[in-house]
Amino acid sequence: MATDSPVPPAPEQIDGAQTTSKLRRLHHHAYPVADQEVTRHFMEDLLGIPLVAAWTEDVHDEDAEFNGMEFCHTFYELSDGSALAYFQMAPPYDKYFLIGKTNLMDHIALETDADTQEEIHQRLLADGVSHYIQDHGYVKSLYVDSPDGLMVEICADPDDVDEIKEIRRGDAHAALKRWLGGNHENNNLWRNRSGAPMIYDGEPLYKGPVYKS
């Protein structure tokens, strides 16, 4: 719809200065899952993220495609108030929305300290869950698949993270322009500075027929 109001400038155009986003934080990130209890074990018992809400609802709209569908929507809260959320639908929709194992690059990353990352690592080892740890230099990451094959990254910043951030802030636009122009020179001089990736084999958390490999 047309309007006479001027379009506000993008944040980076205001007085030519870099600004922060007015979108303050992640509210929640939602996925459909096959089994809420298996997901609860992963989130609470292994990652240590508490369940804070379970909404049990249904679609009540005769014009809706999924009218009558019943579902449970759970929220697991991080320390900043944001949450990871999960849907499980009741039959016959219980497998309709499932994603399954996603592309390697499609994941969510959660920040913590090195001690907490190590505690999660030890719980995964004790539970026999496959995962791996890689030092990217600018962050050390533990990667583990959720019961539905959705990758979760647990990040711990190095002691010199502020120095690294300052360097990258200074050349972010130039580096992007260079790479898009065809110069793919590696600018991560910190990668694997503490050693090669460490891989820990184990069993998947969910072994249902939906996730045949």
Side-chain angles (χ1 to χ4, degrees), residues 43-49 116 118-129 131:
M43 296 297 293
E44 283 199 311
D45 301 337
L46 298 181
L47 299 190
I49 309 173
T116 302
E118 177 62 19
E119 291 170 5
I120 292 171
H121 168 53
Q122 292 300 325
R123 290 197 294 269
L124 293 171
L125 286 176
D127 217 50
V129 177
H131 61 289

Side-chain angles (χ1 to χ4, degrees), residues 32-50:
V33 297
D35 188 321
Q36 285 279 22
E37 173 51 27
V38 176
T39 298
R40 187 213 60 76
H41 171 63
F42 175 71
M43 296 297 293
E44 283 199 311
D45 301 337
L46 298 181
L47 299 190
I49 309 173

Side-chain angles (χ1 to χ4, degrees), residues 59-189:
V59 177
H60 189 67
D61 182 350
E62 292 184 357
D63 295 326
E65 181 179 359
F66 303 108
N67 182 41
M69 182 177 68
E70 299 169 332
F71 61 91
C72 178
H73 192 196
T74 54
F75 286 78
Y76 296 83
E77 190 171 77
L78 303 174
S79 61
D80 69 349
S82 63
L84 299 184
Y86 299 92
F87 288 94
Q88 181 179 344
M89 318 313 175
Y93 303 103
D94 51 333
K95 294 180 175 61
Y96 186 90
F97 296 96
L98 292 179
I99 299 173
K101 188 170 180 60
T102 61
N103 182 283
L104 173 64
M105 302 303 175
D106 185 4
H107 65 282
I108 189 165
L110 307 175
E111 185 271 338
T112 190
D113 55 59
D115 289 342
T116 302
Q117 185 187 65
E118 177 62 19
E119 291 170 5
I120 292 171
H121 168 53
Q122 292 300 325
R123 290 197 294 269
L124 293 171
L125 286 176
D127 217 50
V129 177
S130 176
H131 61 289
Y132 70 97
I133 298 173
Q134 182 168 8
D135 186 355
H136 298 284
Y138 56 87
V139 68
K140 189 174 183 180
S141 300
L142 182 157
Y143 296 95
V144 58
D145 283 349
S146 77
D148 293 81
L150 305 165
M151 183 178 286
V152 178
E153 177 183 357
I154 307 297
C155 299
D157 288 334
D159 292 338
D160 57 349
V161 64
D162 290 336
E163 175 186 342
I164 295 172
K165 285 182 177 180
E166 195 63 28
I167 293 171
R168 284 289 80 94
R169 284 193 183 101
D171 72 352
H173 288 85
L176 175 59
K177 184 176 181 179
R178 169 181 61 77
W179 194 92
L180 292 173
N183 182 346
H184 296 170
E185 178 184 354
N186 185 354
N187 71 353
N188 186 357
L189 305 179

